[in-house]
Amino acid sequence: MNIASLTIEQVQAGLAARQFSAVELAKSALEFAQAENPKTNAYLHFCPERALAAAERVDQKLAAGENAGPLAGVPLAVKDVIVTKGVRTTCGSRLLERYVPPYDATAVVRLEQAGAVILGKTNCDEFAMGSSNENSAFGPVRNPVALDRVPGGSSGGSAAAVAQGTAVVALGSDTGGSVRQPASFCGVVGVTPTYGRVSRYGLVAFASSLDHIGPFGRTVRDAALLLETMAGRDECDSTSAFAPVPSYTAQLDGTVAGLRLGLPREYFEGLASESGDRIHQAVELLKNLGCEVREISLPATQYAVPCYYIIATAEASSNLARYDGVRYTTRANSTRANEDTLSGMYRATRGEGFGAECKRRIMLGTYVLSHGYYDAYYLKAQKVRTLIAEDFHKAFAEVDAIVAPVSPFPAFKIGEKLDDPMEMYLSDIYTITGDLAGIPCMSVPCGKTSEGLPVGMQILAKHFDEAGMFRLADAFEKAGGFAGSN
Ligand code: GLN
């Protein structure tokens, strides 16, 4: 068994053939992950007791001849913004350094019930704010493909773990591209489902109207299986959708001939040449599979970055108000006399606890929501959001899916964009539109640059058409030989 390249199907086959038990697999996976982690800093902490207990439950079921679930024994990494009962959940922030949640996120409950084995919690930008994983209070993550480069963000640890082989699959969260962009930088599959497809219960809120939990895998099939297992209505999240969840994996039948695909003109402006070359090659491959590709226009794309950074920061300023040193968080022990008041304590705690990016966003968000600016910024951004959604609505009257780049450039060097937040915000130019419209979208590997850096192709589909999106991605991955290609 080669732990670093296992897929879910191989785990299932290995368990069925008694090549290894779930406990043996969990022990080797933990040992391997712990030994490899210093190279990338992908995991913030491991949870061996929980992993072994889950693996034992799987072995007991198998011994009793029971069905141990579709994810039986599968090593899983969980982004540290998704709460896990009894296991620290820091959100990459000093403020929550010692926070141990009293409950599990719904996604975590469902995956564990299906037999998954959580190895540990992965590093991320603080409260999922960032595009490079450099905003973590616990140090950056290194891209396993090129250790001097970022893995992308904010779910950089989860993408890196899957690329490095220290987890078979992982959970991330995507508010403006935080699953797809790191997936493309690390050469793995990353999926942002339709808004509401997966319960957000237990996902620490950044911008609630944009937040999604999404899966990472080394193959499209693995990501699809993870999604179908955790998706579906949840009473604990009133925004979770009632729409039935079909089996995505049962529909990976390669039937893509005749599909009409749209290539949005606006997504090729400012694209690095080698990334563009890979996408154009991918388009040729899709044509060879019988897809019909036509150029389309999504004109409101030009407003997407400012629109996102107004709505996301507005929601963040409100969501992050709860971290005040009274609930959840570490309280600053200020000795300064002028801070010996309630508001002084808040100020000291939030001043010390939040990193620079969180503070920047809280201030920006408070500003755009404040009296006198609300109409000019927040309300305007909401209207632009509707225009962006309408662009997609119109496009999907003509095409079955949209194909585009994920990021304007491949993984950049650690430190390269740190001094310029605007430049960093532009990393998300092709991904935030999908979140603003609430449609399903994903990144699938489509080759590498001459320096060996992975490039991802983005597929965007109609609301709740994850099945069609996965079918196309799977056919593409197989035709191009991209499975596990990082
Ligand atoms: N990079 C974007 C941001 O910093 C997206 C983050 C995310 O999707 N969580 O807001």
Side-chain angles (χ1 to χ4, degrees):
M1 150 180 72
N2 180 3
I3 292 224
S5 63
L6 276 182
T7 61
I8 294 179
E9 268 174 327
Q10 288 166 351
V11 172
Q12 288 166 339
L15 285 176
R18 302 267 191 271
Q19 264 171 2
F20 45 77
S21 69
V23 168
E24 281 163 357
L25 176 61
K27 281 187 179 156
S28 337
L30 277 166
E31 206 175 291
F32 179 67
Q34 281 165 333
E36 289 293 299
N37 201 47
K39 289 184 193 155
T40 58
N41 198 26
Y43 284 89
L44 289 174
H45 34 269
F46 293 93
C47 48
E49 282 170 20
R50 183 165 176 155
L52 292 176
E56 261 160 36
R57 283 196 299 274
V58 168
D59 282 339
Q60 277 161 11
K61 282 193 184 159
L62 290 175
E66 289 168 29
N67 182 353
L71 298 175
V74 173
L76 167 75
V78 176
K79 183 178 181 181
D80 212 19
V81 293
I82 298 173
V83 302
T84 38
K85 186 175 176 177
V87 175
R88 259 184 324 135
T89 301
T90 67
C91 298
S93 180
R94 284 270 166 243
L95 270 175
L96 293 180
E97 198 169 2
R98 292 195 286 274
Y99 175 58
V100 179
Y103 70 107
D104 279 321
T106 298
V108 163
V109 170
R110 290 185 182 175
L111 295 180
E112 271 189 339
Q113 273 169 358
V117 172
I118 299 175
L119 301 183
K121 306 296 294 289
T122 53
N123 204 343
C124 55
D125 286 299
E126 188 173 5
F127 289 103
M129 296 176 184
S131 309
S132 66
N133 220 123
E134 292 166 293
N135 295 338
S136 166
F138 308 110
V141 174
R142 297 179 174 275
N143 189 323
V145 181
L147 292 171
D148 58 339
R149 293 186 182 257
V150 304
S154 61
S155 313
S158 289
V162 173
Q164 197 178 8
T166 55
V168 173
V169 281
L171 287 186
S173 69
D174 194 307
T175 304
S178 280
V179 168
R180 285 158 290 155
Q181 187 252 23
S184 79
F185 279 17
C186 294
V188 298
V189 176
V191 181
T192 312
T194 307
Y195 183 79
R197 203 36 139 172
V198 175
S199 167
R200 288 182 295 111
Y201 184 67
L203 168 63
V204 176
F206 160 12
S208 313
S209 78
L210 293 157
D211 292 342
H212 308 70
I213 290 181
F216 288 96
R218 282 195 277 278
T219 63
V220 173
R221 169 173 284 275
D222 281 2
L225 183 56
L226 213 60
L227 184 61
E228 72 188 37
T229 310
M230 65 180 164
R233 174 70 188 168
D234 172 23
E235 298 252 299
C236 298
D237 172 8
S238 61
T239 63
S240 70
F242 285 95
V245 183
S247 167
Y248 306 128
T249 47
Q251 298 181 61
L252 303 178
D253 56 9
T255 55
V256 296
L259 275 186
R260 298 161 307 162
L261 305 180
L263 217 52
R265 191 178 310 141
E266 294 79 4
Y267 285 53
F268 289 83
E269 291 157 13
L271 180 62
S273 65
E274 278 204 82
S275 304
D277 292 347
R278 292 296 88 78
I279 302 296
H280 288 300
Q281 278 170 357
V283 168
E284 288 310 309
L285 188 61
L286 290 166
K287 285 184 186 162
N288 290 339
L289 290 173
C291 298
E292 180 202 311
V293 183
R294 61 177 83 160
E295 193 179 274
I296 58 164
S297 176
L298 300 169
T301 302
Q302 59 178 314
Y303 307 116
V305 172
C307 170
Y308 169 83
Y309 277 96
I310 289 172
I311 295 175
T313 57
E315 293 186 22
S317 72
S318 151
N319 276 326
L320 269 54
R322 75 192 68 170
Y323 306 110
D324 54 11
V326 179
R327 295 160 295 178
Y328 315 106
T329 41
T330 311
R331 181 178 299 185
N333 244 337
S334 179
T335 48
R336 280 176 282 173
N338 63 348
E339 291 191 336
D340 195 16
T341 59
L342 182 62
S343 57
M345 188 274 287
Y346 286 166
R347 205 166 21 244
T349 299
R350 291 166 68 80
E352 282 173 25
F354 280 127
E357 186 59 29
C358 287
K359 288 183 194 164
R360 182 158 36 235
R361 295 195 188 202
I362 292 169
M363 280 159 56
L364 190 60
T366 309
Y367 178 80
V368 299
L369 287 177
S370 56
H371 183 72
Y373 294 108
Y374 182 93
D375 289 352
Y377 294 109
Y378 184 72
L379 201 62
K380 187 66 110 346
Q382 290 292 11
K383 290 178 182 169
V384 173
R385 182 176 189 173
T386 303
L387 293 179
I388 290 170
E390 277 173 3
D391 273 1
F392 282 111
H393 191 70
K394 282 184 206 143
F396 287 127
E398 277 180 49
V399 297
D400 301 303
I402 293 172
V403 168
V406 175
S407 160
F409 31 70
F412 45 89
K413 294 243 166 79
I414 293 178
E416 191 181 313
K417 296 191 195 297
L418 263 188
D419 299 336
D420 188 350
M422 276 309 288
E423 169 78 359
M424 192 75 95
Y425 292 173
L426 288 175
S427 317
D428 308 316
I429 191 152
Y430 307 137
T431 47
I432 52 192
T433 47
D435 297 276
L436 286 165
I439 56 174
C441 29
M442 67 185 288
S443 175
V444 57
C446 70
K448 291 185 175 175
T449 66
S450 50
E451 285 183 281
L453 302 174
V455 178
M457 174 178 82
Q458 187 173 195
I459 303 175
L460 303 101
K462 285 176 218 159
H463 283 113
F464 297 106
D465 188 22
E466 283 87 359
M469 179 176 81
F470 282 130
R471 193 183 304 123
L472 179 62
D474 170 69
F476 173 78
E477 175 188 72
K478 287 185 177 134
F482 294 123
S485 63
N486 73 292

